[in-house]
């Protein structure tokens, strides 16, 4: 029987389900058909594969060729199946030993010349194949990404001919070079550039310790965007596993792999005109959006009230769960989205409410409408609300002072405090669940009364209660104390004052 089987992987979210390519040759009029829910690019594989086989000095079978991609219900997209289809056809026609395809998975798009072109989603495929015993063959152009995982048998190839030589045992393919150790992230913007803003610096540091979501509120030009850009530089370094997860999302999105920056914390700052799909992901073949590309990193939403309200509402789920599920008629895709949100906004439409210059002429009504664009439930999920007032001109022009600390200094403190939290609970304080809060954020009777009174006075929700405790935990960790003291709690409460002001509208 002229049947051959080759294995490959589809790309579905950051998952990479196994796809079996079955090729059958039979009598009848010569021709090729591909079945198994192929989309346009996969149907076109017919022509690419035929020419690539001919240009590799093989013969394309002059018979009826049926290619089946299983499982049939999984939609298949892109040129990633080309290599497996070509090898299946060669094996079915007896030009390659059939058993040589066993024990391997193949990924790669074919050029007409027989060269292999890179495909997106190589890292997710390797992560899924890891632990199995198969050898994975990928295009040389994906080698940087393929070298990230040390514990899997990966081989890289430039052409279809090289893959065939490997399978025949004539010339084994080389493994990719291991990815070099990450370099220190020197290029990030530094906190030393920011003058004054002690309150906001402190809030940024606490947010970094606990991975707390942060909202900066202040008039134009006070340094909100500057501060947000400097958060990645004070966060603790990514672990290898986190960096690889973040790379897998970028790979699934088809972003090029940067061998020098793969270990850097993601920082994404989508514009407020970005579409819902660009922000949260989606499309007919679901792709990750900005919130997933910010996985393990920072998502900066500047001018928060200008974002489409519906899009902001969609953020509520991933803010709590750390992932997003995108449902399409045919199937669902789940993307990770454990990002730290930093948002910035002006206090009113003109931007100058509360400014001592008396420049603001916004009516209370228009201010209320402006702030109302951010819903209570969303605000409720942001742990730290921080006002960023105008810096006096003299201070802006001054030389760098002792309080204008550099990012490296702050990062050392943050990393210390974060490791205390990791040892205690295995996660940053911002992710503590209710039960963990009860265990790790216990208050003395006096502190409990203080908190209850304050929340009552500010009219805040039960969720805010937990937020305050998580932030207080981070403040105490930064201070190096086990117990949450009165001053830690008082500072944490103060980060909800702006919340009270806006809900009082
Ligand atoms: N505290 C500061 N220290 C040093 N430079 C500052 C500070 N605040 C503002 N600047 C200067 O002002 C510019 C604008 O700052 P930035 O973009 O961060 O303001 P913003 O608060 O985000 O304003 P907007 O509300 O208009 O977005 C910066 O590029 C910087 O040159
Ligand atoms: Mg700005």
């Amino acid at each position: 029987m002229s049947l051959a089987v080759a294995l490959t992987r589809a790309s579905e979210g950051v998952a990479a389900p196994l796809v079996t390519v079955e090729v059958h040759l039979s009598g009848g009029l010569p021709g090729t058909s591909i079945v198994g829910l192929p989309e346009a690019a996969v149907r076109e594989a017919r022509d690419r594969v035929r020419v690539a086989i001919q240009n590799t000095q093989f013969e394309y079978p002059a018979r009826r060729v049926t290619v089946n991609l299983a499982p049939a219900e999984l939609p298949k997209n892109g040129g990633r199946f080309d290599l497996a289809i070509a090898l299946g056809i060669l094996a079915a026609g007896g030009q390659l030993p059939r058993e040589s395809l066993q024990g391997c998975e193949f990924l790669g798009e074919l050029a007409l010349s027989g060269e292999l072109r890179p495909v997106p989603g190589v890292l997710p495929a390797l992560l899924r194949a890891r632990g199995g015993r198969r050898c994975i063959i990928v295009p040389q152009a994906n080698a940087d990404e393929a070298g990230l995982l040390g514990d899997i048998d990966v081989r890289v190839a430039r052409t279809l001919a090289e893959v065939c030589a490997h399978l025949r045992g004539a010339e084994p393919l080389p493994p990719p070079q291991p990815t070099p150790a990450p370099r220190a992230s020197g290029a990030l913007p530094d906190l030393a550039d920011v003058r004054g803003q002690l309150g906001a610096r402190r809030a940024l540091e606490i947010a970094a310790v606990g991975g707390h979501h942060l909202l900066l509120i202040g008039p134009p030009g006070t340094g909100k965007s500057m501060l947000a850009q400097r958060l990645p530089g004070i966060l603790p370094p990514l672990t290898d596993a986190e960096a690889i997860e973040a790379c897998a999302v970028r790979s699934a999105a088809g972003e090029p792999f940067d061998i020098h920056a793969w270990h850097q914390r993601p920082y994404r700052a989508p514009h407020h005109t970005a579409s819902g799909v660009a922000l949260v992901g989606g499309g007919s073949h679901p792709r990750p959006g900005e919130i997933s590309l910010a996985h393990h990193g920072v998502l900066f939403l500047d001018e928060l009230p200008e974002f489409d309200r519906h899009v902001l509402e969609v953020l509520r789920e991933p803010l709590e769960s750390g992932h997003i599920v995108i449902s399409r008629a045919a199937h669902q895709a789940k993307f990770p989205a454990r990002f730290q949100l930093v948002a910035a906004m002006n206090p009113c439409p003109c931007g100058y409410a509360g400014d001592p210059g008396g420049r603001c002429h916004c009516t209370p009504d228009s201010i209320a409408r402006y702030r109302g664009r951010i819903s209570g439930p969303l605000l409720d999920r942001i742990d730290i609300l921080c006002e960023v007032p105008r810096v006096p001109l003299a201070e802006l022009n001054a030389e760098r002072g002792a309080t204008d600390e550099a990012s490296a200094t702050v990062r050392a403190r943050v990393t210390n405090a974060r490791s205390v939290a990791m040892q205690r609970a295995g996660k940053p304080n911002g992710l503590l669940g209710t039960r963990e809060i009860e265990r790790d954020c216990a208050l003395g009777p006096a502190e409990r009364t203080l908190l209850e009174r304050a929340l009552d006075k500010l009219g805040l929700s039960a969720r805010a209660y937990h937020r305050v405790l998580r932030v207080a935990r981070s403040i105490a960790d930064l201070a190096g104390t086990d117990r949450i003291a009165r001053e830690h709690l008082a500072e944490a409460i103060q980060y909800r004052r702006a919340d009270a002001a806006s809900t009082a509208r």
Side-chain angles (χ1 to χ4, degrees):
M1 193 174 62
S2 311
L3 180 73
V5 173
L7 295 177
T8 177
R9 284 184 186 270
S11 165
E12 186 190 42
V14 281
L18 198 65
V19 169
T20 306
V21 179
E22 297 167 331
V23 181
H24 184 247
L25 303 188
S26 57
L29 277 184
T32 305
S33 56
I34 300 182
V35 297
L37 218 56
E39 288 177 14
V42 181
R43 284 197 299 274
E44 287 165 2
R46 221 168 29 188
D47 297 319
R48 282 195 301 273
V49 166
R50 181 172 42 80
V51 180
I53 285 182
Q54 286 164 346
N55 282 336
T56 307
Q57 315 304 327
F58 285 110
E59 265 177 38
Y60 195 82
R63 301 170 70 184
R64 175 105 216 119
V65 180
T66 308
V67 177
N68 179 35
L69 307 175
E73 67 276 7
L74 181 74
K76 324 242 177 3
N77 189 34
R80 56 196 302 109
F81 309 111
D82 288 4
L83 177 60
I85 294 174
L87 294 169
I89 291 173
L90 291 176
Q95 299 185 76
L96 266 182
R98 240 170 260 170
E99 58 289 350
S100 68
L101 303 188
Q102 285 168 13
C104 291
E105 293 179 20
F106 308 95
L107 283 177
E109 178 178 328
L110 281 171
L112 298 184
S113 61
E115 271 174 65
L116 284 175
R117 293 215 163 106
V119 294
V122 165
L123 191 53
L126 295 181
L127 286 169
R128 278 297 280 264
R130 199 186 205 178
R133 287 162 182 257
R134 293 193 201 101
C135 165
I136 323 293
I137 296 178
V138 305
Q140 166 72 37
N142 287 117
D144 283 348
E145 178 179 349
L148 273 184
L149 306 180
D151 54 356
I152 181 167
D153 184 12
V154 194
R155 304 300 173 101
V156 293
R158 281 189 198 83
T159 60
L160 175 60
E162 283 186 8
V163 179
C164 292
H166 172 85
L167 293 174
R168 273 206 223 91
E171 198 164 336
L173 289 169
Q177 294 293 323
T179 308
R183 286 191 305 201
S185 41
L188 294 175
D190 201 289
L191 265 180
D193 308 333
V194 179
R195 296 284 159 279
Q197 298 300 15
L198 286 191
R201 275 171 167 273
R202 170 84 180 158
L204 198 69
E205 183 169 338
I206 295 165
V209 168
H212 303 290
H213 305 305
L214 171 72
L215 173 61
L216 301 167
I217 308 166
T222 53
K224 299 183 296 297
S225 302
M226 270 184 106
L227 285 159
Q229 285 156 7
R230 281 153 183 78
L231 178 58
I234 63 169
L235 284 167
L238 285 178
T239 63
D240 280 352
E242 288 171 337
I244 286 172
E245 268 183 44
C247 281
V249 179
R250 286 200 287 277
S251 175
E255 293 213 345
F257 178 79
D258 180 351
I259 200 159
H260 299 300
W262 72 274
H263 220 281
Q264 262 178 26
R265 255 186 211 276
Y267 174 82
R268 309 289 301 196
H271 193 254
H272 58 75
T273 53
S275 70
V277 168
L279 216 64
V280 298
S284 57
H285 198 80
R287 280 162 57 101
E290 292 290 336
I291 64 168
S292 296
L293 291 165
H295 183 54
H296 289 312
V298 175
L299 179 73
F300 178 43
L301 300 183
D302 207 354
E303 329 274 357
L304 188 65
E306 303 295 336
F307 279 82
D308 178 10
R309 194 172 168 148
H310 295 293
V311 175
L312 291 185
E313 292 309 301
V314 178
L315 288 187
R316 282 161 53 178
E317 186 209 320
L319 274 173
E320 299 235 304
S321 65
H323 64 254
I324 179 115
V325 177
I326 293 160
S327 301
R328 284 287 164 276
H331 62 304
Q332 284 192 336
K334 182 175 169 181
F335 292 105
R338 169 81 57 219
F339 56 88
Q340 183 171 2
L341 176 66
V342 182
M345 65 183 281
N346 298 132
C348 69
C350 83
Y352 292 100
D355 205 56
R359 274 207 260 174
C360 176
H361 299 293
C362 298
T363 61
D365 234 24
S366 71
I367 297 180
R369 234 177 299 123
Y370 179 74
R371 295 196 179 182
R373 285 190 214 161
I374 303 159
S375 72
L378 177 65
L379 216 52
D380 231 12
R381 283 167 171 76
I382 300 179
D383 302 7
I384 302 182
L385 310 179
C386 171
E387 291 184 8
V388 188
R390 209 131 56 93
V391 182
L393 213 53
E395 211 173 307
L396 263 189
N397 289 331
E399 289 290 297
R400 188 180 152 202
T403 52
D404 301 336
E405 288 181 311
S407 292
T409 318
V410 181
R411 190 189 207 196
R413 283 197 302 263
V414 168
T415 306
N416 248 333
R418 172 81 70 102
S419 68
V420 172
M422 295 304 284
Q423 271 167 22
R424 186 179 47 228
K427 53 171 89 166
N429 297 327
L431 298 181
L432 292 179
T434 316
R435 209 149 306 132
E436 292 157 321
I437 292 178
E438 277 165 23
R439 186 191 64 202
D440 297 337
C441 310
L443 297 178
E447 285 80 18
R448 184 178 293 274
T449 317
L450 168 73
L451 179 54
E452 278 163 10
R453 284 223 188 104
L455 290 184
D456 218 24
K457 206 164 130 207
L458 299 174
L460 297 179
S461 69
R463 201 191 260 120
Y465 179 85
H466 288 131
R467 303 248 158 235
V468 169
L469 285 176
R470 289 193 193 101
V471 174
R473 182 67 266 164
S474 291
I475 297 172
D477 286 344
L478 210 43
T481 65
D482 210 25
R483 209 175 66 83
I484 297 178
R486 194 183 167 83
E487 75 255 29
H488 305 144
L489 195 62
E491 185 178 356
I493 292 170
Q494 180 228 295
Y495 292 127
R496 301 248 43 121
R497 279 196 191 283
D499 187 3
S502 65
T503 41
R505 63 180 173 254

